[in-house]
Amino acid sequence: MFSLLRISCRTAARRALGPAPRRGVSEGAAGGGGSDDGAGEPGGATRRRLEGLVRKDKVVVFIKGTPAQPQCGFSNAVVQILRMHGVDNYRAYNVLEDQEIRQGIKNYSNWPTIPQIYFDGEFVGGCDILLQMHQNGDLVEELKKLGIRSALLDTEKEDKK
């Protein structure tokens, strides 16, 4: 299963424009104006709505489909990585059900692809970034900062016995 995640996310990484710096949602994308229709820079009500969504829970993901039925390989990879770490208390938004969110979140984060992951209201990145964090151990540390104990720590303990 892990090799499938690696392949899916490696492809996503190639398509990404490059890693976006982690930043708080208050920084958002450049500027603050724009239309509310989701076609351009999210402004007004759309921006306030997105800020509310990303701040609502400790872990928030914007994916295609649902955690139970992801509709693309990258969204599935994100769900599987979170599952491996035992993160089951997170909020997922299906961008296929809401075009305003689908385009608006891309503009809000200045990140061109879905899925997108937020920790404590802070943009983390997409599938490629989450996979990299998982592989180098940073994800365990970031989850710890959120008060979430990674299930992989328990697995390591059992393996050492």
Side-chain angles (χ1 to χ4, degrees), residues 16-154:
L17 297 177
R22 293 189 57 167
R23 61 176 185 225
V25 291
S26 60
E27 293 174 61
S35 67
D36 254 359
D37 63 5
E41 174 77 29
T46 301
R47 183 164 191 79
R48 285 189 299 276
R49 178 179 178 207
L50 292 169
E51 283 181 4
L53 295 179
V54 301
R55 292 177 188 261
K56 192 173 186 176
D57 297 276
K58 287 183 179 183
V59 178
V60 176
V61 296
F62 293 86
I63 60 174
K64 292 179 181 176
T66 65
Q69 284 192 301
Q71 298 294 307
C72 82
F74 305 116
S75 294
N76 184 48
V78 166
V79 169
Q80 295 304 321
I81 290 168
L82 292 174
R83 188 172 292 148
M84 278 192 284
H85 285 269
V87 180
D88 54 4
N89 190 19
Y90 64 94
R91 180 71 166 143
Y93 293 96
N94 181 356
V95 300
L96 300 177
E97 291 181 346
D98 189 329
Q99 289 302 312
E100 182 180 26
I101 287 180
R102 185 176 187 169
Q103 185 57 45
I105 198 64
K106 293 176 186 179
N107 296 329
Y108 179 80
S109 64
N110 198 26
W111 187 261
T113 59
I114 302 294
Q116 292 188 15
I117 300 98
Y118 290 80
F119 288 166
D120 228 4
E122 186 176 333
F123 179 63
V124 174
C127 175
D128 54 335
I129 302 298
L130 194 67
L131 177 62
Q132 183 180 33
M133 291 172 68
H134 166 71
Q135 289 173 332
N136 67 21
D138 289 346
L139 185 53
V140 171
E141 293 303 313
E142 290 299 317
L143 292 173
K144 189 176 188 180
K145 291 177 188 174
L146 298 173
I148 300 170
R149 180 175 170 80
S150 172
L152 293 182
L153 294 174
D154 298 332

